[in-house]
Amino acid sequence: YDFCCSAAGEKDGRRFFPVVATIFLFVGFNAWLGLLPGYGSITVDVHGHTVHLIRPSNTDINTPLAIAIVAVLFVQFYGLKTLGRRYIAKFVNVGGFFRGVGQVFKGKLGSGFNSMFTGVIEIFVGFLELLSEFIRIISFTFRLFGNMTAGEILLLVAIFLIPWVFALPFYGLELLIGFIQALIFSGLTLIFLTLAVYHHDEAEAH
């Protein structure tokens, strides 16, 4: 809670805390549950194919993707709730372009074309902002999926190559990595939530 408030302020930190804490606990416990005996080692044959009976959820790309989508949806929700139309204008900003068109029709060619050029840049920037929201989903997903899958493979290789006792330090390492991944995922969500309402807070400060 203190971490959320230190990043987003008391008001927004209190609003964001349930989302950030839920993501942290969900990712962290899923990472640690994957270290229990039976996860990834018990298999069944289905129509000639070997299928894992129990598998760590963070190493199934569907789970990181679902968490990423939920995180980004909450970012959009709080951005819209706080800024309203101003938040939408971050993605769809065509006002400057049409003002320039109006100036051209009024005979103000110089200022009109300048406004149109600026408006085209604003439209392109809005497109990049919209694209960045989808890129966040991809980066969230593959960051968690890649790290958790790599850790699972590392443990399987370590247990296969060396005695069980000597593989125990790798379990400690995976416990740490699970905590770090949960902290990174929830921390990035908190940062994106804070940025989504940043202009609102800035306006209130002035």
Side-chain angles (χ1 to χ4, degrees), residues 12 25 33 82 88 116 125 128 145 162 171 177 187:
D12 290 325
L25 293 173
L33 283 173
T82 305
I88 299 176
M116 288 174 64
V125 170
L128 292 180
F145 171 72
I162 59 180
Y171 268 82
I177 290 175

Side-chain angles (χ1 to χ4, degrees), residues 2-23:
D2 290 340
F3 176 64
C4 289
C5 291
S6 65
E10 182 68 29
K11 177 184 175 183
D12 290 325
R14 187 168 58 251
R15 289 197 300 164
F16 300 158
F17 173 71
V19 178
V20 175
T22 300
I23 290 175

Side-chain angles (χ1 to χ4, degrees), residues 138-160:
I138 297 172
S139 64
F140 263 155
T141 301
F142 284 99
R143 179 184 290 111
L144 180 60
F145 171 72
N147 283 299
M148 292 294 96
T149 304
E152 183 184 31
I153 294 172
L154 174 65
L155 282 179
L156 292 174
V157 171
I159 293 171
F160 179 77

Side-chain angles (χ1 to χ4, degrees), residues 92-134:
V92 183
N93 190 0
V94 296
F97 178 79
F98 285 111
R99 279 194 300 269
V101 172
Q103 289 175 341
V104 169
F105 278 109
K106 291 178 182 178
K108 302 177 182 178
L109 298 180
S111 60
F113 282 119
N114 283 336
S115 296
M116 288 174 64
F117 178 72
T118 305
V120 170
I121 294 175
E122 290 174 346
I123 292 172
F124 181 69
V125 170
F127 171 75
L128 292 180
E129 289 283 352
L130 184 62
L131 184 63
S132 71
E133 299 299 320
F134 292 98

Side-chain angles (χ1 to χ4, degrees), residues 60-109:
D60 185 336
I61 197 169
N62 295 293
T63 301
L65 177 61
I67 307 171
I69 291 174
V70 168
V72 171
L73 284 177
F74 268 106
V75 171
Q76 309 312 314
F77 168 75
Y78 280 113
L80 284 170
K81 184 178 179 181
T82 305
L83 299 176
R85 288 181 296 177
R86 284 182 296 165
Y87 186 74
I88 299 176
K90 185 174 76 168
F91 307 109
V92 183
N93 190 0
V94 296
F97 178 79
F98 285 111
R99 279 194 300 269
V101 172
Q103 289 175 341
V104 169
F105 278 109
K106 291 178 182 178
K108 302 177 182 178
L109 298 180

Side-chain angles (χ1 to χ4, degrees), residues 187-203:
L188 287 175
T189 302
L190 175 61
I191 291 171
F192 292 144
L193 286 167
T194 305
L195 291 175
V197 300
Y198 174 75
H199 297 293
H200 174 72
D201 294 338
E202 188 179 42

